[in-house]
Amino acid sequence: MTTAQSFTRHDITFPSGDSTCAGWLYLPTGVTSPPVVILGHGLGAVREMRLDAFAERFAQAGIAAVAFTYRHFGDSGGHPRQLLSIKRQLADWDAAIAYVKARTDVDRTRIAVWGSSFGGGHAITVASGHPELRAAVAQCPFTDGLASALALGPAASLKILPVVARDLAARGRGKPPVMVPIAAAPGSPALMNAPDALPGYLALQPPGKTFRNEVAARVIPTIAAYRPGRAARKVTMPILFCVSNTDSVTPPAQTLRYADTAPRGEIKRYDAGHFDFYTGETFEELVRDQTEFLTRQLHPAPVAPTP
């Protein structure tokens, strides 16, 4: 457990499916039964890659936060490692919500979800299936697999297909997965190969941690077919969409079309790239907007000043 200005951070684990998810619980000091926001990351990313920065700010505003890592990644359970399964990740979100609802030190009636990139798409899907939630935040969200595949480019997409075939064959034979990079240089086969993808991912890697830049290639067909933006029209609670005007990974035009269908949607647009959202001045602007939105929807009590 670590202590900062106005919150304590606890290491947690919670069951999900056949294994467990590891996470952090941030509890504001001096606040009884605070509301809580659950944070999940993007493609192959773990909570150490700047989810803590957002969670700390929310906790300082009197909102408890749970930042977790999906099964098969980081220090969470699950085998094989680096398996990116949309179905399993959505189950991890459900498990995180169940975990929060079972706690007695937070207000289980005031829960929000926050997702970034691929996790932003998950946040839309999860919010559409959990009408009891009070709010949702979708940051630079992945909303349409086809649109993202087109952004990747046909040549790079074709280069990946043989790797997918080898991994599917390996799965059928019970062999270890065949991996594909999450981020790579432009033109290289990877889930993301925009010019800012590889340096952007590496910039999120904390000191002393090694980011595994690979996932099992079998996920690629399911990513292309995943269109979580379609669920926005079914999200009944307030949802904030934070959209990059120059997003190279999740094309903004399609995201904005989906966001407009959310009955209680709010849209904030930023002149910054997909990977700029996590650091520097853009992070400061985003976290201010998100804290204002979550405070408005969750009504946290004022945080007592630290002695």
Side-chain angles (χ1 to χ4, degrees):
M1 182 178 74
T2 59
T3 305
Q5 290 181 338
S6 57
F7 61 86
T8 55
R9 191 181 87 181
H10 307 258
D11 294 327
I12 61 169
T13 58
F14 55 86
S16 182
D18 56 1
S19 191
T20 58
C21 291
W24 293 316
L25 168 66
Y26 295 77
L27 289 174
T29 55
V31 180
T32 301
S33 195
V36 58
V37 57
I38 301 168
L39 296 89
H41 219 319
L43 281 171
V46 294
R47 67 186 185 281
E48 289 87 354
M49 297 169 75
R50 295 290 290 174
L51 288 196
D52 50 349
F54 288 90
E56 288 172 4
R57 294 298 186 87
F58 300 149
Q60 288 170 353
I63 302 168
V66 169
F68 74 96
T69 298
Y70 300 111
R71 281 177 292 168
H72 305 280
F73 293 91
D75 57 352
S76 290
H79 294 279
R81 304 307 294 167
Q82 302 302 111
L83 176 67
L84 201 167
S85 163
I86 294 171
K87 182 179 179 180
R88 283 173 173 256
Q89 291 194 350
L90 291 173
D92 293 343
W93 278 98
D94 290 340
I97 292 171
Y99 169 80
V100 167
K101 288 180 177 179
R103 293 194 66 93
T104 58
D105 50 1
V106 298
D107 187 339
R108 295 166 285 184
T109 69
R110 291 184 293 162
I111 302 174
V113 291
W114 179 105
S116 188
S117 194
F118 206 60
H122 288 338
I124 300 169
T125 302
V126 170
S128 72
H130 284 273
E132 76 278 12
L133 297 175
R134 288 290 189 91
V137 177
Q139 174 174 291
C140 53
F142 174 99
T143 56
D144 192 290
L146 180 59
S148 290
L150 292 173
L152 183 66
S157 298
L158 289 173
K159 288 180 183 178
I160 288 179
L161 292 180
V163 186
V164 175
R166 290 201 302 273
D167 187 36
L168 292 173
R171 181 176 65 179
R173 297 195 304 269
K175 301 291 186 181
V178 178
M179 300 292 179
V180 63
I182 298 170
S188 301
L191 298 186
M192 296 179 288
N193 65 3
D196 59 339
L198 183 57
Y201 249 75
L202 294 177
L204 301 182
Q205 182 176 307
K209 290 283 184 178
T210 301
F211 164 58
R212 285 191 64 180
N213 184 20
E214 59 181 9
V215 295
R218 68 192 66 168
V219 73
I220 290 170
T222 62
I223 290 177
Y226 188 38
R227 307 178 86 174
R230 289 182 167 183
R233 60 186 177 85
K234 300 177 184 177
V235 176
T236 57
M237 73 286 300
I239 179 170
L240 174 64
F241 296 89
C242 298
V243 182
S244 160
N245 289 329
T246 58
D247 202 313
S248 60
V249 177
T250 57
Q254 186 67 286
T255 294
L256 292 168
R257 282 192 286 271
Y258 285 130
D260 282 336
T261 69
R264 301 175 68 185
E266 299 181 25
I267 300 171
K268 293 277 189 178
R269 301 178 65 172
Y270 303 86
D271 288 321
H274 186 91
F275 294 95
D276 296 327
F277 275 27
Y278 302 96
T279 58
E281 293 181 6
T282 304
F283 162 76
E284 295 292 343
E285 184 180 1
L286 276 156
V287 80
R288 280 196 302 268
D289 290 344
Q290 293 168 4
T291 301
E292 185 279 328
F293 171 79
L294 290 171
T295 298
R296 185 159 32 95
Q297 306 304 335
L298 299 178
H299 308 293
V303 178
T306 303

